[in-house]
């Protein structure tokens, strides 16, 4: 199965700073890379995703970058705000074929201090 | 905006009892999933369901677990004889192909 590593496990920043979370994967055939945000007491919610034919995608203050050669992708949050505090999970699809069952990273707990 | 709904939000049960967790997926989605999350840990895949049958299941999804889509809208997870280690947050998700949409979860506590 897919081996997914996510770092760091916790990240503490001051409001306004940038935050970067990195995810590495093992299967070079993977081609879809989503990030999920989980707020306290809620289910994970998709916040941004990227496909393997692009290297970067932005949506306001969040961006995802992909390095297929090195097999890692990162979530970037700029101008962090307290409401960005949550647990963030990367997910990686299974090897080609079969059902889409993503493997989730272990999560990064982001704390934004006002 | 359509969303996945789960009931109940909290369930407390005695060890050995049966529980049924309920989910209403997004109406035009074709794939349905159950995941669980033990406190402070990552989200773990349990089972996926497509075309009225299980398409994949993990090692966690043993004979104590079953899923059902009893009608056109509900998707249920049954745990036949709960164990202490079944205590977790259980998430239902649905998708068209790749984008999973999760419900808010059912917190199951087995005493």
């Amino acid at each position: 199965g897919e081996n997914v590593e996510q770092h760091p496990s916790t990240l503490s920043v001051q409001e306004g700073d940038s935050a970067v979370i990195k995810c590495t994967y093992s299967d070079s055939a993977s081609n879809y890379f989503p990030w999920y945000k989980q707020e306290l007491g809620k289910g994970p919610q998709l916040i941004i995703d990227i496909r393997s034919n692009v290297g970067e995608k932005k949506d306001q203050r969040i961006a995802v970058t992909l390095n297929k050669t090195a097999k890692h992708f990162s979530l970037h949050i700029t101008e962090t705000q307290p409401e960005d505090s949550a647990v963030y999970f990367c997910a990686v699809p299974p090897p080609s074929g079969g059902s889409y069952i993503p493997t989730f990273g272990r999560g990064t707990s982001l704390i934004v201090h006002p | 905006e359509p969303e996945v709904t789960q009931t109940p939000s909290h369930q407390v049960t005695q060890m050995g009892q049966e529980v049924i967790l309920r989910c209403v997926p997004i109406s035009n989605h074709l794939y349905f999933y159950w995941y669980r999350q033990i406190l402070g840990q990552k989200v773990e895949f349990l089972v996926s369901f497509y075309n009225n049958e299980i398409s994949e299941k993990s090692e966690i999804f043993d004979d104590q677990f079953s899923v059902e889509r009893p009608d056109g809208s509900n998707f249920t997870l049954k745990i036949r004889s709960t164990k202490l280690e079944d205590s977790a947050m259980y998430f239902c998700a649905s998708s068209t192909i790749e984008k999973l949409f999760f419900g808010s979860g059912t917190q199951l506590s087995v005493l």
Side-chain angles (χ1 to χ4, degrees):
Chain A
E2 185 68 75
N3 186 27
V4 181
E5 293 196 6
Q6 183 176 341
H7 298 283
S9 57
T10 60
L11 181 57
S12 184
V13 300
Q14 288 296 128
E15 182 176 0
D17 288 351
S18 295
V20 180
I21 305 169
K22 185 176 177 179
C23 202
T24 60
Y25 58 95
S26 57
D27 180 21
S28 58
S30 298
N31 58 12
Y32 173 72
F33 306 94
W35 282 95
Y36 288 81
K37 175 183 181 182
Q38 185 179 24
E39 295 175 328
L40 196 61
K42 297 184 180 179
Q45 300 298 311
L46 178 69
I47 55 171
I48 196 166
D49 55 19
I50 192 168
R51 295 193 181 276
S52 57
N53 57 343
V54 298
E56 183 177 4
K57 181 178 178 180
K58 283 185 180 179
D59 182 4
Q60 299 182 340
R61 293 186 300 107
I62 60 172
V64 55
T65 58
L66 172 65
N67 184 327
K68 280 217 76 177
T69 304
K71 290 189 276 188
H72 67 72
F73 61 110
S74 298
L75 176 70
H76 303 255
I77 307 174
T78 58
E79 300 172 37
T80 53
Q81 300 168 5
E83 51 265 38
D84 294 329
S85 296
V87 180
Y88 292 81
F89 293 95
C90 63
V92 179
S96 55
S99 303
Y100 178 72
I101 311 293
T103 299
F104 285 83
R106 290 201 167 274
T108 297
S109 178
L110 174 64
I111 302 167
V112 181
H113 299 281
Chain B
E1 187 174 324
E3 59 180 17
V4 176
T5 57
Q6 289 185 244
T7 54
S9 56
H10 294 84
Q11 175 86 53
V12 181
T13 190
Q14 295 290 324
M15 190 169 59
Q17 294 296 304
E18 174 184 287
V19 294
I20 297 177
L21 310 184
R22 302 180 191 278
C23 171
V24 179
I26 295 173
S27 61
N28 63 337
H29 285 183
L30 302 176
Y31 298 87
F32 313 115
Y33 310 82
W34 283 100
Y35 283 80
R36 80 170 185 193
Q37 185 179 34
I38 295 170
L39 186 64
Q41 298 187 23
K42 71 173 181 177
V43 179
E44 297 178 293
F45 169 71
L46 292 178
V47 65
S48 64
F49 195 85
Y50 171 72
N51 202 26
N52 284 321
E53 61 182 20
I54 291 174
S55 51
E56 302 254 357
K57 58 183 181 178
S58 71
E59 297 174 344
I60 304 168
F61 194 87
D62 61 22
D63 292 343
Q64 295 297 319
F65 291 87
S66 63
V67 290
E68 202 174 38
R69 188 155 163 82
D71 52 43
S73 59
N74 291 285
F75 179 50
T76 62
L77 174 70
K78 181 191 293 185
I79 309 175
R80 189 167 58 211
S81 178
T82 50
K83 304 188 282 279
L84 295 176
E85 53 265 39
D86 293 329
S87 296
M89 180 73 91
Y90 288 81
F91 292 107
C92 173
S94 68
S95 73
T96 49
I97 299 178
E98 292 166 326
K99 298 191 180 191
L100 268 64
F101 292 83
F102 286 84
S104 293
T106 294
Q107 179 65 56
L108 176 65
S109 298
V110 182
L111 306 178

